[in-house]
Amino acid sequence: MRETDRRTIMAGIGAGLVVAAASGACAAPRDRKIGYAIVGLGGYAELIMSKFAECEHARLTALVSGTPEKLERFGARYQIPPTHRYSYATFDRIRDNPDVDVVYVILPNSMHAEYTVRAARAGKHVMCEKPMAVSAAECRTMIDACRAAGRKLMIGYRSRFEPHNRLAIQLAREGFVGPTRIVTSEHGFNAQPNQWRLDRALSGGGSLMDIGIYSLNAVRYLTGEEPVAVSAIESTDRSDPRFRTVEDRITFLLRFPSGIEATCVSSYSSNHNAYRVIGTKGRIELEPATGYDGHKMFVNRDGRTEPRAVAAGKGQHAGQLDHLAECILDDTQPLVPGEEGLADLRVIEAIYRSAREGRRVQLDA
């Protein structure tokens, strides 16, 4: 986004959002489904669109893309009329579409702030993919924009709606294996070349922004605490053309107010997806922990390790879509609001700083 465009958009938060804010309460009639517009029709958006069939309270009503062929193809597949298909240039017209309640931003990270602000200015609630933005400052701008517009902002942390993760949170926080002392969380995959995630201008960073955020977010929701200090080490082979502008591996240690310590791994050159909560009486393990499917849980207590079966229930993707819809219908606060995304970005910035400066970084309360 050009700097002049960014200034124009951000300047509209104060004055331009007043009209949207004047619309009043966010509650909606309970006898209808909440309409979503999907912005950005890449691979993950294609998965999300397929999940509306599982939703009780949400439906797909509009599409936004810079590729006419995608608008035509997905519009036909999901019966979205031409009047409800938008380009990025015509996006702001969405304010006049009463079938759209929520704008779901599924774009490269550097575009999240712009389209969240524009959606709020159009009087729409927002679901934004993680990471929420490329800086904590942009996160605050997004929060302020939605607050000024009287609209809800939720971040797409789908794992918070996945049954195994929900049970792990419950067991860990209830002390099922005793008070938590250590958490390990490791996420990585072998990144393929020639994708926007490997371009810092679009992604804002490398593996940490993309997959490492799962390691970070997991230790935050498993402990229910915010870290007070971080130490990090980066390991990147700059001769690898994939990593010309972004990092490969970062290992980071977080310390929490209660004394819990968490060791986390973020990687673009190794495959792993797991976490372990270690208490005084045992441990809780998930592997895979935060994938799209195939989650497995094991619980060790008093020397015995057993698998823990979890009822499937509603899928995590449909669960998050319906959750925001219900929050709008009932005028309640989302489980993972913009402040959750801001909390992750604050820690991510500290992780990068620690790795860059080679020292431990304290986090403000």
Side-chain angles (χ1 to χ4, degrees):
M1 180 170 53
R2 296 192 308 270
E3 185 60 29
T4 52
D5 293 337
R6 186 184 299 273
R7 286 197 296 267
T8 299
I9 289 164
M10 301 311 176
I13 294 172
L17 296 176
V18 173
V19 174
S23 60
C26 297
R30 259 288 184 179
D31 59 351
R32 73 176 184 89
K33 287 189 173 184
I34 295 299
Y36 277 75
I38 302 296
V39 184
L41 302 182
Y44 188 65
E46 188 168 0
L47 173 65
I48 290 293
M49 288 187 285
S50 72
K51 299 302 181 180
F52 282 98
E54 304 172 17
C55 291
E56 300 175 62
H57 307 291
R59 65 189 180 115
L60 179 62
T61 57
L63 304 173
V64 183
S65 175
T67 307
E69 183 275 330
K70 288 183 178 181
L71 289 173
E72 178 66 27
R73 174 158 48 96
F74 291 117
R77 180 182 301 178
Y78 293 105
Q79 300 181 335
I80 306 300
T83 55
H84 290 41
R85 305 173 194 173
Y86 302 88
S87 69
Y88 296 131
T90 63
F91 171 79
D92 297 317
R93 297 178 189 170
I94 210 164
R95 70 167 63 249
D96 300 318
N97 190 336
D99 293 330
V100 175
D101 302 285
V102 179
V103 168
Y104 191 163
V105 179
I106 312 179
L107 292 165
N109 306 337
S110 64
M111 302 172 73
H112 288 183
E114 174 186 352
Y115 279 87
T116 294
V117 172
R118 288 172 69 178
R121 291 180 66 182
K124 307 302 180 182
H125 304 282
V126 181
M127 175 90 79
C128 181
E129 258 312 304
K130 63 83 199 162
M132 181 176 172
V134 297
S135 70
E138 283 195 346
C139 292
R140 294 186 185 96
T141 294
M142 296 159 73
I143 291 168
D144 290 345
C146 291
R147 183 179 294 125
R151 292 296 175 261
K152 300 185 187 299
L153 172 59
M154 177 172 156
I155 310 305
Y157 288 115
R158 56 179 172 75
S159 294
R160 297 299 300 272
F161 303 93
E162 195 284 314
H164 295 79
N165 281 266
R166 293 172 74 97
L167 178 58
I169 293 169
Q170 177 186 338
L171 295 178
R173 294 194 188 183
E174 288 179 353
F176 186 76
V177 293
T180 299
R181 304 309 299 151
I182 297 170
V183 182
T184 63
S185 188
E186 302 178 357
H187 289 76
F189 66 93
N190 191 27
Q192 298 304 300
N194 303 317
Q195 55 176 306
W196 67 261
R197 289 173 177 81
L198 300 176
D199 182 349
R200 181 175 293 275
L202 294 174
S203 64
S207 71
L208 182 59
M209 294 288 280
D210 184 22
I211 190 69
I213 195 171
Y214 286 101
S215 294
L216 169 60
N217 197 247
V219 297
R220 290 184 52 249
Y221 61 66
L222 290 166
T223 62
E225 298 182 25
E226 296 300 332
V228 294
V230 58
S231 299
I233 299 173
E234 178 191 337
S235 178
T236 302
D237 179 4
R238 294 297 177 185
S239 68
D240 188 326
R242 295 177 299 172
F243 307 129
R244 285 191 296 266
T245 65
V246 300
E247 82 280 351
D248 174 12
R249 287 178 290 153
I250 289 189
T251 300
F252 53 99
L253 174 68
L254 301 173
R255 186 170 181 83
F256 292 85
S258 65
I260 295 172
E261 291 189 345
T263 302
C264 302
V265 175
S266 171
S267 174
Y268 263 165
S269 59
S270 53
N271 292 291
H272 35 141
N273 187 309
Y275 61 64
R276 175 185 291 186
V277 179
I278 302 171
T280 57
K281 298 179 180 179
R283 63 185 181 273
I284 303 161
E285 301 178 63
L286 263 71
E287 186 176 6
T290 61
Y292 293 165
D293 51 37
H295 303 78
K296 293 182 180 179
M297 173 184 281
F298 294 87
V299 176
N300 174 289
R301 190 167 71 163
D302 300 325
R304 296 183 59 186
T305 300
E306 298 178 345
R308 177 63 69 95
V310 179
K314 185 183 297 184
Q316 58 188 313
H317 298 94
Q320 72 171 8
L321 293 168
D322 266 347
H323 175 72
L324 180 54
E326 290 182 280
C327 288
I328 293 167
L329 292 166
D330 299 333
D331 194 18
T332 53
Q333 178 78 338
L335 175 65
V336 279
E339 287 77 8
E340 181 74 8
L342 170 60
D344 270 350
L345 259 294
R346 290 182 65 247
V347 181
I348 285 173
E349 289 182 342
I351 292 170
Y352 279 134
R353 182 179 177 187
S354 175
R356 183 174 62 250
E357 298 179 0
R359 66 179 183 86
R360 180 176 179 175
V361 172
Q362 298 293 130
L363 289 157
D364 296 331

